[in-house]
Amino acid sequence: MPIDPNFETNRERVGEENGVTVWGPVDPPEQLGIHGTHVAVDYDICIADGACLEDCPVDVFTWVDTPGHPESEIKVEPTREDQCIDCMLCVDVCPVDAIDVDPGRAGRT
């Protein structure tokens, strides 16, 4: 199941990690929620293949450790989502549809 494009409405903002908004539910290490707002990554389905990180022309993503998560023990975090140019490459290359970019959410990180 892909990331919920309406997560801002359907999920609760539960805090921040590394300056990035986190949307719940969160129950580590199995359930890590969605990280980011303008550029959002569903950590619960991300398999960390790195395609988004490699293809992003403005280096929005960085690796973070997620030890014990059943899908992967690292994830890509939209650390610099404010730099996103809305090219949608990350959305296009994600094999599990774990990323959503919404220009309408820009500036609401």
Side-chain angles (χ1 to χ4, degrees):
M1 172 176 271
I3 187 172
D4 176 3
N6 299 310
F7 68 88
E8 259 190 310
T9 303
N10 297 335
R11 293 181 177 229
E12 180 181 345
R13 181 181 174 159
V14 295
E16 284 189 6
E17 287 184 20
N18 305 313
V20 176
T21 302
V22 178
W23 304 85
V26 172
D27 186 19
E30 294 84 16
Q31 195 170 26
L32 301 176
I34 293 175
H35 290 231
T37 303
H38 174 204
V39 179
V41 179
D42 189 331
Y43 274 29
D44 297 326
I45 59 176
C46 173
I47 60 170
D49 75 332
C52 57
L53 187 136
E54 292 172 12
D55 286 2
C56 180
V58 293
D59 298 322
V60 165
F61 302 98
T62 58
W63 288 116
V64 294
D65 291 326
T66 56
H69 191 270
E71 291 298 326
S72 65
E73 296 212 344
I74 59 172
K75 303 290 180 188
V76 289
E77 184 163 74
T79 309
R80 293 179 291 275
E81 67 181 317
D82 61 328
Q83 301 299 310
C84 180
I85 59 172
D86 303 324
C87 69
M88 305 299 184
L89 281 174
C90 58
V91 173
D92 292 342
V93 299
C94 183
V96 294
D97 297 323
I99 302 173
D100 184 53
V101 174
D102 185 341
R105 291 193 302 252
R108 296 190 323 217
T109 56

